[in-house]
């Protein structure tokens, strides 16, 4: 197979899950599109996927495709989807050459007629080692230099970056810099010089510090419904509402107003018709509901007449099988990803990365590595 040594590219890895790798990739693609006419994207190995027309496609590839339409077939943007049987099947009949060939072929398609390609990894440098295709190995296979994204700080992040750097160096992949993510804005000026000093001891430049934006951590009602395997029984047209917190309704309906806080999800049993009536009477006045929505627990639903009224109001109701404690626990531990079509959140991400990351330095460092010594 012919190697592509001409298209500029960069591999984006992270020190751990949820450090902001996809957020960084989404923002970098946007920034590059202001500098290049055609920007491609590939996530060689995806661990969270959706099925589209019979194909298992990594959800981040779907997000990039929906947001930017880079003109790359989905099966080229996401050539390997790791399902529940993938690792065991590979260990039973390992074929590293076939896996490598699949990824190389997909990259060639993703890079075809592109001016730049963003390669998104699957986590830290070692993810995928069990089937002979860690992020470090993938970056080497695709002759790409790498960026490491980590959460803010000095001690733990730099320790973790050092571990990742060791594996990239083992496979002779040059790490061109580090992006620190989710740093409280007021602490950036204090952190910056010490982060630079710590990284310089590893021979790495600091490419930027991205401030924490709490809006990016707020799930939508739709994401909550998916996390709870729930179903909208009313108000699904408001599923894009962002949620800032939750409350469990434990008091009587006479005191329901204590729960009516903006952007809050109220959790109550599905047969608490007194509470539902209080919500409809006091939480949804005007153009927007005072609360984001309601989760009805234990699979209970109100009687049909009340359900019909609920469908006419501006308060979304989600029915779930779990009890209130389980619902609260699952919401508390949600990993909030960026949804397709969430233009508000995508715009925030684009601005955060463009403003706080040295994109020009990334471009200057993106020439492919044709040979390894």
């Amino acid at each position: 197979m012919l190697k592509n040594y001409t298209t500029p590219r960069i591999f984006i890895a992270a020190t751990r899950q949820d450090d902001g790798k996809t957020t960084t990739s989404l923002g970098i693609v946007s920034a590059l599109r202001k500098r290049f006419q055609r920007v491609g994207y590939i996530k060689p190995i995806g661990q969270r996927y959706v099925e589209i027309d019979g194909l298992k496609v990594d959800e981040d590839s779907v997000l990039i495709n929906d947001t930017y339409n880079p003109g790359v077939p989905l099966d080229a943007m996401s050539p390997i989807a790791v399902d529940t049987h993938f690792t065991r099947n590979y260990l039973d009949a390992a074929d590293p050459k076939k896996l490598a060939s699949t990824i190389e072929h997909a990259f060639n398609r993703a890079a075809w007629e592109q001016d730049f390609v963003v390669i998104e990894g699957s986590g830290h440098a070692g993810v995928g080692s069990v089937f002979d295709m860690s992020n470090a190995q993938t970056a080497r296979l695709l002759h790409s230099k790498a960026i490491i994204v980590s959460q803010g700080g000095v001690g733990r992040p730099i320790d973790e970056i050092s571990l990742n750097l060791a594996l990239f160096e083992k496979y002779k992949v040059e790490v061109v810099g580090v992006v620190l993510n989710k740093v409280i804005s007021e602490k950036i000026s204090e952190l910056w010089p010490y982060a630079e000093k710590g990284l310089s001891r590893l021979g790495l430049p600091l490419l930027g510090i991205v401030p924490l934006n709490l809006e990016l951590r707020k799930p939508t009602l739709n994401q909550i419904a998916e996390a709870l395997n729930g179903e909208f029984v009313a108000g699904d047209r408001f599923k894009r509402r962002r949620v800032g917190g939750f409350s469990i309704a434990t008091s009587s309906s006479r005191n329901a107003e204590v729960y009516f806080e903006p952007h809050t999800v109220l959790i109550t049993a599905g047969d608490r018709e007194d509470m539902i009536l209080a919500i409809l009477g006091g939480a949804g006045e005007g153009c927007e509901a005072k609360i984001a929505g309601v989760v009805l627990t234990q699979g209970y639903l109100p009687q049909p007449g009340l359900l019909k009224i609920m469908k006419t109001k501006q308060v979304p109701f989600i029915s779930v099988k779990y009890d209130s404690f389980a619902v609260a626990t699952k919401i508390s531990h949600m990993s909030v990803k960026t949804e397709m079509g969430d233009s508000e959140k995508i715009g925030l991400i684009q601005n955060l990365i463009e403003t706080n990351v040295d994109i020009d330095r990334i471009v200057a460092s993106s020439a492919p590595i044709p040979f390894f010594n």
Side-chain angles (χ1 to χ4, degrees):
M1 182 182 297
L2 292 175
K3 301 284 187 179
N4 179 330
Y5 295 129
T6 57
T7 308
R9 67 203 69 178
I10 198 70
F11 189 99
I12 301 175
T15 50
R16 59 173 64 194
Q17 188 178 17
D18 298 327
D19 275 354
K21 176 173 48 60
T22 299
T23 295
T24 304
S25 299
L26 190 70
I28 286 178
V29 170
S30 174
L32 290 172
R33 283 163 59 92
K34 296 178 181 179
R35 295 161 171 81
F36 299 96
Q37 185 176 353
R38 299 176 297 272
V39 179
Y41 169 92
I42 181 174
K43 187 166 183 179
I45 297 173
Q47 296 178 303
R48 294 166 59 114
Y49 63 86
V50 294
E51 292 199 20
I52 300 176
D53 297 330
L55 293 174
K56 294 176 181 176
V57 183
D58 176 78
E59 62 182 17
D60 295 327
S61 298
V62 177
L63 173 64
I64 293 288
N65 185 65
D66 182 76
T67 304
Y68 300 119
N69 188 24
V72 178
L74 279 174
D75 61 334
M77 293 174 68
S78 178
I80 304 294
V82 179
D83 59 24
T84 53
H85 304 292
F86 182 90
T87 300
R88 292 185 181 185
N89 290 342
Y90 183 86
L91 292 174
D92 284 337
D95 191 348
K97 290 184 178 180
K98 180 180 179 182
L99 189 61
S101 177
T102 298
I103 291 173
E104 285 184 301
H105 180 65
F107 177 81
N108 286 345
R109 294 172 66 201
W112 177 255
E113 295 187 334
Q114 303 287 355
D115 301 315
F116 201 106
V117 179
V118 172
I119 309 166
E120 183 178 344
S122 301
H124 60 71
V127 171
S129 297
V130 67
F131 45 80
D132 303 309
M133 196 55 65
S134 68
N135 279 306
Q137 289 169 287
T138 305
R140 170 172 176 158
L141 176 70
L142 300 180
H143 303 274
S144 180
K145 300 173 186 177
I147 292 169
I148 296 176
V149 180
S150 180
Q151 291 201 27
V154 177
R156 190 184 76 179
I158 291 179
D159 291 344
E160 293 178 347
I161 289 165
S162 178
L163 285 172
N164 280 264
L165 181 63
L167 193 58
F168 279 120
E169 289 178 338
K170 175 183 176 180
Y171 289 101
K172 300 182 180 178
V173 174
E174 180 184 349
V175 177
V176 301
V178 171
V179 174
L180 297 181
N181 190 33
K182 303 179 184 178
V183 179
I184 297 172
S185 297
E186 293 77 14
K187 295 187 176 182
I188 290 179
S189 59
E190 176 186 352
L191 171 64
W192 194 290
Y194 291 101
E196 281 192 320
K197 288 178 182 179
L199 290 170
S200 68
R201 295 164 67 88
L202 301 177
L204 297 176
L206 177 61
L207 297 173
I209 298 180
V210 181
L212 174 67
N213 188 308
L214 294 178
E215 290 299 312
L216 300 182
R217 304 179 68 174
K218 295 178 180 178
T220 63
L221 285 172
N222 188 59
Q223 289 174 312
I224 286 179
E226 289 181 350
L228 299 173
N229 296 316
E231 176 187 0
F232 281 92
V233 294
D236 63 344
R237 63 191 182 280
F238 301 113
K239 64 184 180 181
R240 291 284 189 191
R241 280 184 183 166
R242 219 170 299 287
V243 177
F246 64 87
S247 295
I248 300 176
T250 55
S251 65
S252 72
S253 58
R254 291 175 301 172
N255 298 311
E257 67 275 3
V258 301
Y259 304 116
F260 299 162
E261 294 293 330
H263 313 298
T264 295
V265 161
L266 181 57
I267 304 168
T268 188
D271 58 356
R272 282 286 306 275
E273 295 188 358
D274 61 328
M275 182 61 71
I276 294 172
L277 285 168
I279 292 167
L280 295 177
E285 300 294 337
C287 297
E288 284 284 333
K290 293 180 182 178
I291 59 175
V294 182
V295 174
L296 303 176
T297 64
Q298 299 176 299
Y300 299 142
L301 289 176
Q303 53 89 12
L306 180 53
L307 191 59
K308 185 176 180 180
I309 295 172
M310 291 160 55
K311 294 178 184 292
T312 68
K313 301 296 183 178
Q314 299 187 29
V315 182
F317 287 84
I318 302 168
S319 176
V320 304
K321 301 296 185 183
Y322 302 107
D323 61 28
S324 295
F325 178 78
V327 169
T329 301
K330 288 179 178 293
I331 293 176
S332 297
H333 292 87
M334 279 183 65
S335 174
V336 181
K337 303 283 284 184
T338 303
E339 285 187 303
M340 288 190 302
D342 192 340
S343 56
E344 180 183 355
K345 182 178 283 190
I346 291 170
L348 282 173
I349 290 169
Q350 291 169 336
N351 182 64
L352 281 171
I353 300 301
E354 176 80 36
T355 305
N356 296 286
V357 176
D358 191 343
I359 303 297
D360 290 331
R361 187 165 186 173
I362 293 172
V363 171
S365 305
S366 63
I369 306 169
F371 302 106
F372 294 91
N373 296 324

